Amino acid sequence: MSTGCLICYFRLLLYINFRARFSMGDAFLEEMEQLLCTQEEEIIRNLISENESYESLINDIVPKDNADQASGDIDSKVLDVVVRRELQKLNQVRNAIARIKSNHYGICIRCGNKISQDRLRAIPYATVCMDCKTAMEKNSAAK
C-alpha cells in the first residue's frame, strides 16, 4: 500500500470510529436543531428591537445640557454592549446549527470527547465538555 492509501485508510477508520463513538441520535439532533433555530429567530427579533431603540436614541439627540448628554452616552454604550453580546450569541447559535449539519455537533473542541446531552440541552451551542470547561475556568481564575 502506498502512503496516500494508508492515510485514506486511517482517515476512514477514524471516521467510522468517530461516528460510532459520538452518535447522538437523530431525535436529539432534531430537537437541538429546532431549539437552536428558535433561539436564532429570537436573537434576530431582539437585534431588530435594539436597532429600533438605537435609532430612537439617535433621533432624540438635540442640544442638551451636560447631564443629559452623559446619560445619552451611557445609554448608547450599554446598547452597544448588548448588541455585541447578541451578535456573539447569534454567531454561536449559527455555528452550532452548522455543526449539526456537518455531523460535528456535541464534540468537545478541546479534548474530542462527547459533550453530554444535559449540557447541550442547557447550552445548545456549547463547544466544550464540562471537564474542559471546568479546567478552563480554573486556569482563568488562577491568572
Side-chain angles (χ1 to χ4, degrees):
M1 255 187 194
S2 71
T3 304
C5 290
L6 280 173
I7 291 171
C8 290
Y9 176 73
F10 284 115
R11 284 184 181 161
L12 178 62
L13 287 177
L14 285 171
Y15 177 75
I16 291 168
N17 183 36
F18 171 83
R19 293 295 295 155
R21 186 173 172 203
F22 295 112
S23 179
M24 289 261 174
D26 290 340
F28 177 75
L29 291 175
E30 286 177 25
E31 173 190 343
M32 291 296 97
E33 186 171 11
Q34 183 65 38
L35 179 62
L36 286 160
C37 288
T38 301
Q39 284 186 352
E40 179 183 34
E41 292 169 5
E42 182 180 316
I43 292 168
I44 290 170
R45 276 194 304 275
N46 289 344
L47 286 169
I48 290 169
S49 172
E50 288 158 2
N51 184 53
E52 290 169 356
S53 297
Y54 187 76
E55 286 177 1
S56 172
L57 185 66
I58 296 300
N59 291 334
D60 289 343
I61 294 178
V62 291
K64 302 177 182 177
D65 64 23
N66 288 340
D68 287 340
Q69 286 178 338
S71 176
D73 287 346
I74 291 170
D75 291 345
S76 177
K77 288 177 182 174
V78 167
L79 197 53
D80 284 345
V81 169
V82 170
V83 167
R84 267 189 255 125
R85 285 187 183 155
E86 288 290 305
L87 287 172
Q88 182 181 21
K89 186 175 177 183
L90 179 62
N91 190 40
Q92 291 172 322
V93 166
R94 286 181 170 169
N95 286 338
I97 293 169
R99 285 192 307 276
I100 289 173
K101 293 180 188 290
S102 67
N103 295 319
H104 293 99
Y105 184 73
I107 310 304
C108 178
I109 61 171
R110 291 193 73 208
C111 69
N113 288 329
K114 185 176 178 181
I115 300 172
S116 74
Q117 289 186 4
D118 289 339
R119 176 158 171 73
L120 291 170
R121 280 194 174 96
I123 306 170
Y125 47 85
T127 57
V128 293
C129 65
M130 279 306 299
D131 290 340
C132 289
K133 182 65 175 173
T134 302
M136 290 166 56
E137 288 173 353
K138 284 181 183 176
N139 285 340
S140 66
K143 291 182 180 178

